[in-house]
Amino acid sequence: MGGTAVKYEIVCGLETHVELSTKTKIFCGCTTQFGGEPNTHCCPVCIGLPGTLPRLNEKVVDYAILAGLATHCTISPVAKMDRKNYCYPDLPKAYQISQYDKPLCVNGYVELDSGRRIRITRIHIEEDAGKLVHERGNTYVDYNRGGVPLIEIVSEPDIRSVEEAREYMEKLQLIMRCIGVSDCKMQEGSMRSDVNISLRPVGSETLGTRTEIKNMNSFTYMEKAMRYEIERQADLLDSGEKVVQDTLRYLTDEDRTEPMRSKEDAHDYRYFREPDLVTIAVSEERIERLRSQLPELPQDRKKRYIEELQIPPADADLLCRHRRIAEYFEAAAAGTKNPKTAANCMLGQIFRRLVTEEDKEKAEIPIPPQYLHDLIVLLDEGKIKNNLLKSTLEKMLDTGKPASAFIREEDMGGVDDETLRRLCAESLAKNPKAGEDYKKGKVNAAKSLLGYVMKATRGRADAPTAEKILIELIENS
């Protein structure tokens, strides 16, 4: 990671901005809908016209408290809003309304799979800035995004590797989606992180000089930017040079970072209390009411799937990534003998139809979970075999109809051994070339012989048993 003489330890903390899924902005009634023609989702408050007064959206406070509870934070009984002053075209007021010394949530953590906890210093609410668009040497400002409510989740510098940084971000994304406060669509900028990173010799307790990589809205690019910055800082230190405290941007096409401006400290922003907004008082009753609304969190759900439902960890992880998928799975699996059958159906045939992460988030599945549950019960009761379950599920997903529309009474129940052996012999007699090919080492030839048997039994035969009989007949012929 560094030169040959010195090994370095990464010290990293993230400041993660999450856009909240409220219908209106933080200080006015304008829509928070993504997109739209430039400067059509704004009003005099958004663009900071003189004489306008902000009014705090109560839902923003509730969403921030939910985020704090889900990340084990203490909720502050008293919080306030402050002005963070800086002059930049994306802020027409020349200040951002944020929180400084009295944030809503403090002292939480996110637990990684390793058991390590990444501590959260604070979660505060603030308004988003507008967006600068650079075209043909000109810069345009779109204030549609200005005033969209954000929470900023600030971690302690507890992250010690690129992999831990990604896992922490992924866990935050899962939690925020699960509790319903944000869609966390990184491609739309509704979740993005500033990465603070420094190096120090292994074993040292002294912090190195940090740089900040701004606005990372892709897990992949965040990893690449971190790896580049680690190498850059290590090369400087190995050469006896000093790391300069800078704010950096990551150039994706060139896979490198470059300075944007010197990093400000808090005193540069000249924080002072926002005079146009009252103090936020959070009662214990409000906190408990919101706590009661929290769903089961992804980490807890995953643990339950592994321990109680005997779902393999990798499968449990996939099922827990999207709340609607998890709820569908649980409804389909409830009361069945083997929940893993429902998991296999979800991760196999259903996921093949939900191609993107957005598809999985929406979980628009053509059949209700009860239909899948009823199909699995037929398997549990021995009335159908696994291959008939699969083929029937495909038809159900194609049409939206229940299993009863495709499985007849005579299809239920297996095929007796004598009939199965007779059909296997019949398949071999009608396809002698397939038998010869199998003997020559073409193991897939047995599949075509099996296809005949399955078709003749309308999928009622047990495929592994049939295949075993076919191989035995071929080897003895």
Side-chain angles (χ1 to χ4, degrees):
M1 190 182 298
T4 53
V6 183
K7 295 290 183 184
Y8 297 106
E9 178 180 56
I10 303 166
V11 178
C12 174
L14 301 184
E15 300 168 23
T16 305
H17 293 84
V18 175
E19 282 187 2
L20 300 178
S21 296
T22 55
K23 288 186 169 59
T24 56
K25 293 186 179 181
I26 187 168
F27 299 125
C28 66
C30 292
T31 179
T32 57
Q33 188 177 356
F34 178 75
E37 288 297 312
N39 299 308
T40 56
H41 296 170
C42 41
C43 69
V45 174
C46 300
I47 58 177
L49 292 186
T52 57
L53 289 172
R55 184 176 178 181
L56 182 58
N57 183 339
E58 188 176 9
K59 199 75 174 173
V60 172
V61 176
D62 283 351
Y63 278 9
I65 293 171
L66 283 169
L69 292 172
T71 51
H72 313 283
C73 286
T74 299
I75 310 304
S76 305
V78 176
K80 66 179 177 67
M81 305 304 297
D82 299 281
R83 289 188 182 183
K84 177 181 179 180
N85 297 274
Y86 66 92
C87 216
Y88 204 64
D90 60 7
L91 276 175
K93 301 190 292 283
Y95 63 84
Q96 177 190 36
I97 302 178
S98 181
Q99 293 189 302
Y100 178 45
D101 57 334
K102 289 193 174 180
L104 263 175
C105 316
V106 294
N107 301 331
Y109 66 87
V110 168
E111 188 168 305
L112 305 182
D113 288 343
S114 65
R116 282 198 69 230
R117 290 180 176 180
I118 306 302
R119 292 171 296 161
I120 290 172
T121 314
R122 57 190 280 146
I123 300 176
H124 64 258
I125 57 175
E126 62 186 21
E127 61 180 334
D128 208 345
K131 181 181 179 182
L132 298 184
V133 181
H134 307 284
E135 286 182 3
R136 295 185 295 277
N138 296 316
T139 298
Y140 304 91
V141 189
D142 178 6
Y143 288 123
N144 280 354
R145 197 176 67 187
V148 168
L150 296 176
I151 51 174
E152 183 173 346
I153 305 168
V154 182
S155 85
E156 291 285 331
D158 290 345
I159 294 166
R160 294 292 175 267
S161 70
V162 175
E163 293 75 20
E164 282 191 350
R166 177 169 184 143
E167 186 185 347
Y168 167 79
M169 276 282 283
E170 286 179 338
K171 292 235 177 329
L172 270 187
Q173 185 184 59
L174 284 178
I175 291 167
M176 296 304 138
R177 282 177 173 171
C178 173
I179 64 177
V181 303
S182 176
D183 59 23
C184 289
K185 291 180 180 176
M186 298 183 78
Q187 71 276 14
E188 293 181 5
S190 59
M191 182 180 184
R192 54 194 190 268
S193 269
D194 300 336
V195 181
N196 292 277
I197 193 165
S198 66
L199 299 185
R200 65 184 177 193
V202 172
S204 171
E205 292 299 315
T206 306
L207 293 174
T209 303
R210 68 188 169 95
T211 57
E212 180 181 31
I213 313 168
K214 296 290 285 185
N215 292 324
M216 302 307 305
N217 64 347
S218 153
F219 293 135
T220 302
Y221 286 141
M222 182 181 77
E223 284 188 333
K224 287 183 174 182
M226 286 184 69
R227 291 187 197 285
Y228 174 85
E229 187 58 17
I230 290 163
E231 286 296 327
R232 187 186 75 84
Q233 290 191 22
D235 286 345
L236 285 171
L237 295 171
D238 286 342
S239 303
E241 298 180 53
K242 290 185 177 180
V243 175
V244 177
Q245 183 169 316
D246 257 338
T247 299
L248 310 170
R249 67 164 63 88
Y250 175 65
L251 304 176
T252 56
D253 294 341
E254 300 175 38
D255 188 23
R256 67 180 179 87
T257 58
E258 71 169 17
M260 292 170 66
R261 60 180 186 267
S262 294
K263 175 68 180 148
E264 296 92 342
D265 288 319
H267 63 262
D268 295 319
Y269 291 123
R270 295 181 296 111
Y271 280 99
F272 63 85
R273 180 173 180 142
E274 169 54 67
D276 295 331
L277 290 166
V278 298
T279 300
I280 302 167
V282 184
S283 67
E284 199 60 41
E285 291 76 22
R286 187 187 204 95
I287 294 170
E288 291 311 310
R289 174 175 59 79
L290 291 167
R291 196 192 304 276
S292 70
Q293 294 174 15
L294 283 175
E296 186 178 25
L297 296 175
Q299 201 89 332
D300 299 327
R301 196 189 289 265
K302 179 181 174 181
K303 187 178 179 185
R304 179 168 60 83
Y305 285 4
I306 295 168
E307 293 178 359
E308 295 180 19
L309 304 184
Q310 304 299 304
I311 304 295
D315 292 354
D317 187 57
L318 290 170
L319 289 169
C320 293
R321 284 189 183 178
H322 303 278
R323 182 174 168 182
R324 288 178 181 169
I325 290 291
E327 289 170 349
Y328 188 103
F329 160 70
E330 291 198 30
T336 60
K337 288 181 182 176
N338 187 2
K340 197 170 188 311
T341 304
N344 290 341
C345 291
M346 295 293 299
L347 300 176
Q349 289 161 282
I350 290 175
F351 268 30
R352 276 200 293 275
R353 293 168 185 251
L354 303 175
V355 180
T356 66
E357 289 299 297
E358 193 169 351
D359 291 339
K360 294 181 180 74
E361 186 69 25
K362 291 178 180 175
E364 292 173 350
I365 300 168
I367 58 171
Q370 186 62 43
Y371 284 11
L372 178 56
H373 173 272
D374 294 344
L375 180 66
I376 293 168
V377 167
L378 292 177
L379 183 75
D380 286 347
E381 293 174 346
K383 293 180 178 178
I384 62 171
K385 299 295 182 184
N386 198 51
N387 42 285
L388 184 56
L389 178 141
K390 287 182 178 178
S391 61
T392 303
L393 179 56
E394 288 295 342
K395 294 171 187 172
M396 291 164 65
L397 293 169
D398 285 340
T399 63
K401 294 179 181 178
S404 57
F406 307 103
I407 300 178
R408 302 179 307 196
E409 192 66 39
E410 56 267 33
D411 292 332
M412 297 189 194
V415 178
D416 62 80
D417 292 346
E418 188 180 337
T419 304
L420 185 57
R421 186 166 284 275
R422 177 177 58 78
L423 288 169
C424 287
E426 197 175 289
S427 174
L428 194 54
K430 292 194 173 186
N431 300 281
K433 187 176 182 303
E436 291 302 319
D437 287 345
Y438 183 85
K439 282 184 176 180
K440 291 174 184 175
K442 296 180 180 177
V443 291
N444 282 335
K447 299 295 181 189
S448 62
L449 295 166
L450 179 62
Y452 175 90
V453 177
M454 301 314 294
K455 188 175 180 182
T457 60
R458 289 179 54 85
R460 287 182 298 134
D462 181 62
T465 305
E467 190 167 1
K468 191 177 174 184
I469 293 170
L470 283 165
I471 292 168
E472 180 190 317
L473 289 172
I474 292 168
E475 288 175 348
N476 292 333
S477 62

